């Protein structure tokens, strides 16, 4: 039997899951702000001596603010892409390349986990 390789998985079949530690809200225009608590020794020192805030705010742009609430732990990246494509049309092109890059960025920032779809 062939050993399964992570590279064999299709990135579009991955389910993004928001990391629960980050609080977020949307303003009246639907733009999302994610709140990041600055913890740890270095951050405490920076807060005390450099005036760094205890909580940083990450403001998402229009497309990111549309995508963020769609991350429900159930939808795959492909399914989210279909919704984004229907909403933004050609303005989202090249849709899946941009969406893959966006989810990698969210993952690298620690805002989402990317879970592989379980084989049935």
């Amino acid at each position: 039997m062939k050993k399964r390789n992570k590279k064999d998985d299709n990135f579009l079949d991955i389910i993004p899951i928001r990391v629960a530690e980050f609080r977020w809200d949307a303003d009246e225009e639907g733009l999302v702000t994610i709140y990041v608590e600055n913890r740890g020794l270095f951050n405490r020192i920076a807060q005390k001596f450099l005036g760094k805030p205890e909580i940083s705010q990450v403001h998402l742009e229009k497309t990111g603010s549309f995508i963020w609430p769609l991350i429900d732990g159930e939808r795959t990246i492909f399914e989210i892409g279909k919704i984004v494509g229907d909403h933004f049309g050609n303005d989202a092109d090249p849709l899946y390349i941009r969406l893959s890059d966006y989810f990698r960025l969210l993952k690298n920032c620690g805002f989402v986990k990317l879970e592989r779809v379980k084989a049935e």
Side-chain angles (χ1 to χ4, degrees):
M1 179 181 270
K2 181 181 172 188
K3 185 176 176 180
R4 186 177 170 126
N5 184 341
K6 282 187 176 183
K7 294 199 184 259
D8 293 338
D9 292 329
N10 184 342
F11 190 75
L12 298 179
D13 291 334
I14 291 175
I15 298 173
I17 301 169
R18 285 193 301 255
V19 173
E21 80 178 71
F22 297 105
R23 192 172 52 87
W24 66 279
D25 63 23
D27 65 14
E28 59 279 348
E29 296 174 14
L31 297 177
V32 170
T33 301
I34 302 171
Y35 300 94
V36 180
E37 188 175 342
N38 298 310
R39 294 180 277 191
L41 178 62
F42 176 75
N43 282 316
R44 294 286 178 227
I45 292 169
Q47 289 163 11
K48 185 168 183 138
F49 296 108
L50 303 175
K52 183 175 179 175
E54 289 183 37
I55 298 177
S56 296
Q57 298 179 13
V58 178
H59 302 282
L60 302 182
E61 42 51 70
K62 182 175 74 169
T63 306
S65 292
F66 182 81
I67 293 169
W68 186 257
L70 297 175
I71 304 170
D72 61 3
E74 300 288 327
R75 291 183 181 105
T76 64
I77 292 175
F78 178 77
E79 292 167 332
I80 292 171
K82 285 184 56 89
I83 297 168
V84 171
D86 289 344
H87 183 80
F88 289 102
N90 291 337
D91 290 340
D93 288 339
L95 176 60
Y96 288 105
I97 292 171
R98 292 175 71 185
L99 203 55
S100 295
D101 289 344
Y102 186 67
F103 277 108
R104 283 187 183 100
L105 176 67
L106 288 176
K107 179 185 179 291
N108 290 341
C109 289
F111 295 141
V112 299
K113 295 184 296 182
L114 302 177
E115 297 288 327
R116 305 215 179 270
V117 175
K118 309 279 189 280
E120 295 181 29

